[in-house]
Amino acid sequence: MKRRAAAMAGASQLPAADNRVMKAKLYSRARIRSGFSLLELLVALVIVGILASIAYPSFMGSIRKSRRSDAISALTRLQQAQERWRSNNATFAATPAVLGLATSSPDDHYTIAVANNSTVGYVASATAKSTSPQAADTDCKIFTISIGQGANNV
C-alpha cells in the first residue's frame, strides 16, 4: 500500500520542464482542432449557392411585378387627363404631350402612347422599354386601356 502511495505521489510531481511540454502538446492539439476545415467551408458554400439559385428567380419576379405599378399609374394619370381634356374639346387628345404629360412612365420603365382617338374614345398603351429591366417581363410587356362608347376595357 505504501509503495502504491509512493508511486502515485511521485507521478503527480513531474519535473517542471515535463509539465510544460505536456501542456504545450494539449494546447497545440486544441489549436489544430479549432475552426472549420476547408471541406466544411466548401459544403457550406455549396448549400448557400443552392439556396440562392432557388431564391433569386422568385425575388426578380417580385421586383418585375412591383414595377408594373409604374405602367398602371402612368395610364391612370393619362386617363384622368384625357377626361379633363374631353370636357373642354370635341375629341380626346392624340398624344400625352398635348395633355401636358410625358411619353414615358414616372420611373422610365414604360413608353406611353395614345391611339385611335376620336369623339367617343381612345386606346392608351404602356409598352415596356427595351432598355428597361421590364423588357424581360414576358407576362406584362404591354398594358392597354380602351375607352369608348361608355365601355372601359383594361
Side-chain angles (χ1 to χ4, degrees):
M1 184 87 164
K2 289 183 180 181
R3 286 183 190 177
R4 191 181 253 181
M8 291 188 85
S12 65
Q13 295 178 0
L14 293 172
D18 288 342
N19 203 4
R20 278 186 245 135
V21 170
M22 294 268 282
K23 284 182 181 178
K25 285 182 181 178
L26 286 174
Y27 288 129
S28 67
R29 286 184 191 156
R31 284 186 201 140
I32 290 172
R33 296 191 188 273
S34 68
F36 299 105
S37 70
L38 182 59
L39 183 61
E40 290 170 332
L41 288 174
L42 288 175
V43 168
L45 285 175
V46 167
I47 291 171
V48 168
I50 290 170
L51 291 176
S53 68
I54 292 169
Y56 184 74
S58 176
F59 173 72
M60 290 309 296
S62 297
I63 296 295
R64 280 189 211 100
K65 286 179 186 177
S66 69
R67 287 185 189 137
R68 292 175 190 165
S69 64
D70 187 35
I72 293 169
S73 68
L75 289 175
T76 302
R77 197 172 307 123
L78 178 83
Q79 186 177 7
Q80 292 170 350
Q82 283 282 32
E83 293 301 322
R84 283 192 303 272
W85 176 269
R86 180 64 175 95
S87 67
N88 295 322
N89 297 289
T91 62
F92 286 100
T95 64
V98 172
L99 300 169
L101 299 175
T103 57
S104 63
S105 60
D107 292 335
D108 204 34
H109 293 295
Y110 291 89
T111 301
I112 310 301
V114 176
N116 302 333
N117 63 312
S118 66
T119 59
V120 293
Y122 62 94
V123 176
S125 64
T127 307
K129 290 184 174 184
S130 62
T131 58
S132 169
Q134 281 307 100
D137 188 4
T138 56
D139 294 335
C140 295
K141 272 191 177 179
I142 301 173
F143 286 88
T144 304
I145 296 179
S146 300
I147 307 293
Q149 297 293 340
N152 297 344
N153 299 322
V154 179

